[in-house]
Amino acid sequence: MLKSLFIQNYALIDTLDIRFEPGFSVITGETGAGKSIILGAIGLLLGQRADCKSIKNGMSKCIIEAVFDLSAYGMQEFFERNDLEFDGKECIVRREITASGKSRAFINDTPAPVSQLKELGEMLIDVHSQHQNLLLNKENFQLNVIDILAGDKDELQQYKRLYTAYRQAEKALQQARQAAEQARTEEDYITFQLEQLENAALKTGEQEVLEQEAETLTHAEEIKLALYQAENLLDNEQNGIVNVLKETTHLLDNIGKVYPDGNELASRMESCYIELKDLAGEIAGRTEQVEFNPERLEYVNERLNTIYGLQQKHRVDTLEDLLRIEEEYREKLNAITHSDEHIQALQQQCDQALESMKKQAGRLTSLRQKAASVVERQMKEKLIPLGIPNVQFKVELTPKEVPDETGTDKINFLFSANKNGQLQPISQVASGGEIARVMLSLKAMISGAVKLPTIIFDEIDTGVSGSIAEKMAHIMQEMGALNRQVISITHLPQIAALGSTHYKVYKEDHAEGTSSHIVQLDEKGRVEEIAHMLSGTTLTDAAINNAKELLNQSYRK
């Protein structure tokens, strides 16, 4: 629960440092004194959007810091999951906003993103402002109330997982159908293209071989002449290099007996002779192999033209790309051929996912129906003492036309304040005061199901007065007695008198401007404040006596 709140340079607040007590507390003050400013500062701690305009004029930044006692609320998991320090007892939340528009958040002095602050804030404080009464006509709010009281969090999470799985299966089925339909319109085109590529009988590496062969056939006569001339230079009978080497070898060999180095030179020369003799023979063989073949050249050129044409048609540069495209067309045709089987398998998966989702939705509906009966009974029990003796309240559950992530149930709170009145949606028939009482009753039930440390009611008593206000205060007292903190911002003396702790917000004018302050009232201060709430600016003996009587009654109770 909220132990203390520190605010500096925020709106009309210079410095505010106040401690809060457990149980039921009240905050009073004239309209415009700064109660909404304090709520705004708390909102920043809960992760609401920061605005540099909220910084007090002339200041460079504002700071809002709160200390919470969490020893009784089992929040260790949040801090461990987010790698935040936590001693198991206190948590310090701070928000800083600079005039340049920058915002920083800290949890136990560790920088934290605003999303993390918001997640923690939802576990720390529930601020019920007047505009929240408008939520009563929102289906999602009504459904959320039933889910909280049904305690179906795990079942709902399981349903959401199954719902997501169903939607994914449904999407996959739809995509497969669209793809199959699109493919069927292209089937003739794909078949034609594949047949053309298959008829070409392309082979890996074929293009390079054909291009080289075309070059050779095109220059066959030129090549043959060059080879013939090379062979003749090497091995003609008169002055061919081979014969000259042979004679040179003999000369060196003959002087080997009288000149020992001649043997070595002769050996080396003989090696050259053997190598060139062999080379001349190989050139002669190549000369015989090379011949001009117009028919073969025509075939090679036609084959290359086929390959080049396909490359140009499919806008690729290599034969390997054509082979890849051919395989892709083959796979597409295969997919078209087996698309019905694929769609049938996906349809089966989708049907199974839908059936699992429906079964889980049925479990949710059952839990919600049980919770709805409890809500109907408890709402009557709470609203009758609050001045609606003939109240009728019904939670209507009807199937949704299309399931969504919350389930298949549509929730509608039906209400009538009259004994024989026709039940209608609560937002259409309930007055402002009746809606306030309904919301307080719902919050009281929710607070019993959720371990929320602090609940702040901002003028929940709008539209009520007298004994009804007193009874609403008693409900808030009971909520505050269940190991939680309830703070009510009120203008009604009947509610103010029942708070175990009383705070007053007031404005003060000075040379530099106007400042808002909050103080905890002592016994005398409470009497005077409640007397002012009864009689206005001028204190009368009657108002003071009435204030004392209200306080004495609250103490006796």
Side-chain angles (χ1 to χ4, degrees), residues 72-331:
Y73 299 98
M75 294 188 182
Q76 187 73 32
E77 186 274 336
F78 170 84
F79 293 90
E80 291 177 352
R81 173 164 45 87
N82 292 287
D83 195 24
L84 295 168
E85 291 186 9
F86 182 51
D87 62 5
K89 296 180 180 179
E90 282 192 351
C91 172
I92 302 173
V93 179
R94 187 168 80 255
R95 189 87 181 268
E96 298 179 1
I97 307 167
T98 66
S100 61
K102 293 183 179 180
S103 170
R104 296 194 302 168
F106 302 85
I107 299 175
N108 286 340
D109 289 329
T110 300
V114 173
S115 58
Q116 200 174 84
L117 199 68
K118 188 173 184 179
E119 181 185 356
L120 177 60
E122 290 174 352
M123 296 187 287
L124 294 175
I125 299 179
D126 175 28
V127 179
H128 180 90
S129 57
Q130 292 183 54
H131 78 271
Q132 274 197 322
N133 289 340
L134 300 176
L135 293 175
L136 200 53
N137 65 347
K138 301 294 185 182
E139 181 187 336
N140 287 343
F141 173 78
Q142 297 178 11
L143 179 61
N144 189 46
V145 168
I146 297 300
D147 281 335
I148 289 173
L149 298 174
D152 60 11
K153 181 179 179 181
D154 293 339
E155 294 290 341
L156 182 57
Q157 288 299 321
Q158 176 63 9
Y159 169 81
K160 287 181 178 180
R161 286 191 287 270
L162 293 172
Y163 174 76
T164 300
Y166 164 66
R167 290 303 304 271
Q168 290 174 344
E170 187 180 44
K171 183 179 180 180
L173 176 61
Q174 184 66 21
Q175 289 176 338
R177 285 173 173 165
Q178 292 175 350
E181 185 66 27
Q182 180 68 23
R184 288 189 183 97
T185 63
E186 299 176 351
E187 185 174 5
D188 291 342
Y189 172 80
I190 294 172
T191 300
F192 172 76
Q193 298 298 333
L194 179 60
E195 286 179 352
Q196 191 177 47
L197 288 167
E198 287 180 336
N199 291 338
L202 303 173
K203 298 177 183 178
T204 301
E206 178 184 15
Q207 183 176 353
E208 291 79 2
V209 174
L210 289 173
E211 288 173 341
Q212 182 58 56
E213 186 178 1
E215 286 292 323
T216 301
L217 289 171
T218 301
H219 300 86
E221 293 183 358
E222 181 182 340
I223 295 169
K224 193 175 186 70
L225 177 61
L227 291 173
Y228 173 78
Q229 290 176 340
E231 179 199 357
N232 189 52
L233 288 171
L234 285 172
D235 201 20
N236 68 63
E237 295 181 355
Q238 296 180 352
N239 56 355
I241 295 174
V242 173
N243 289 329
V244 171
L245 284 173
K246 185 177 181 181
E247 291 179 5
T248 305
T249 302
H250 284 313
L251 288 174
L252 294 171
D253 190 49
N254 289 337
I255 63 173
K257 295 179 181 179
V258 294
Y259 182 62
D261 290 344
N263 291 327
E264 181 188 352
L265 294 172
S267 177
R268 291 171 61 190
M269 190 65 69
E270 185 175 10
S271 297
C272 293
Y273 165 75
I274 293 171
E275 177 64 25
L276 288 177
K277 180 71 174 175
D278 182 64
L279 184 59
E282 187 173 337
I283 291 174
R286 298 283 180 90
T287 304
E288 294 297 325
Q289 292 174 5
V290 176
E291 62 180 48
F292 177 64
N293 187 340
E295 293 180 357
R296 178 63 184 174
L297 178 59
E298 182 179 2
Y299 167 79
V300 169
N301 284 334
E302 287 179 357
R303 184 69 178 158
L304 285 172
N305 286 336
T306 297
I307 294 173
Y308 294 151
L310 288 172
Q311 287 174 344
Q312 185 176 10
K313 178 178 181 179
H314 294 283
R315 298 180 180 179
V316 296
D317 299 322
T318 67
L319 185 139
E320 283 66 28
D321 288 333
L322 289 176
L323 291 170
R324 175 181 54 77
I325 292 172
E326 180 181 346
E327 184 59 28
E328 288 175 357
Y329 281 141
R330 193 174 289 114
E331 290 175 357

Side-chain angles (χ1 to χ4, degrees), residues 293-504:
N293 187 340
E295 293 180 357
R296 178 63 184 174
L297 178 59
E298 182 179 2
Y299 167 79
V300 169
N301 284 334
E302 287 179 357
R303 184 69 178 158
L304 285 172
N305 286 336
T306 297
I307 294 173
Y308 294 151
L310 288 172
Q311 287 174 344
Q312 185 176 10
K313 178 178 181 179
H314 294 283
R315 298 180 180 179
V316 296
D317 299 322
T318 67
L319 185 139
E320 283 66 28
D321 288 333
L322 289 176
L323 291 170
R324 175 181 54 77
I325 292 172
E326 180 181 346
E327 184 59 28
E328 288 175 357
Y329 281 141
R330 193 174 289 114
E331 290 175 357
K332 286 182 178 180
L333 279 182
N334 184 61
I336 293 171
T337 302
H338 297 88
S339 61
D340 289 342
E341 297 174 13
H342 179 57
I343 289 173
Q344 185 176 359
L346 289 177
Q347 180 67 64
Q348 186 176 0
Q349 292 176 14
C350 189
D351 291 343
Q352 290 174 348
L354 177 60
E355 184 63 25
S356 297
M357 184 194 76
K358 284 183 176 180
K359 286 182 179 179
Q360 185 64 20
R363 297 186 187 98
L364 268 180
T365 299
S366 179
L367 291 171
R368 287 166 174 170
Q369 286 172 339
K370 292 177 182 178
S373 298
V374 174
V375 169
E376 290 172 352
R377 175 174 53 81
Q378 289 193 8
M379 286 299 287
K380 290 179 182 178
E381 292 175 356
K382 292 181 181 297
L383 290 173
I384 288 174
L386 290 178
I388 315 179
N390 298 314
V391 64
Q392 297 181 70
F393 191 94
K394 181 175 178 57
V395 180
E396 182 182 60
L397 271 78
T398 55
K400 288 181 178 177
E401 293 182 5
V402 179
D404 60 22
E405 63 178 5
T406 64
T408 56
D409 304 312
K410 186 175 181 180
I411 301 291
N412 199 2
F413 288 172
L414 303 179
F415 175 85
S416 174
N418 303 313
K419 188 173 184 179
N420 297 318
Q422 183 179 357
L423 284 166
Q424 297 184 52
I426 190 167
S427 60
Q428 297 178 14
V429 295
S431 67
E434 289 168 343
I435 286 179
R437 282 171 272 180
V438 168
M439 286 299 289
L440 177 61
S441 300
L442 288 174
K443 291 281 184 176
M445 284 192 290
I446 291 171
S447 70
V450 180
K451 285 187 175 181
L452 195 66
T454 300
I455 302 174
I456 300 176
F457 290 106
D458 182 16
E459 300 184 12
I460 187 69
D461 47 38
T462 299
V464 299
S465 60
S467 62
I468 303 303
E470 182 181 349
K471 290 173 182 177
M472 292 178 72
H474 284 305
I475 291 178
M476 288 185 274
Q477 267 188 332
E478 293 172 4
M479 293 170 64
L482 298 174
N483 197 29
R484 68 175 48 81
Q485 183 183 51
V486 177
I487 301 172
S488 176
I489 297 173
T490 181
H491 288 291
L492 296 182
Q494 294 87 349
I495 290 179
L498 286 169
S500 58
T501 310
H502 190 155
Y503 302 91
K504 178 181 178 180

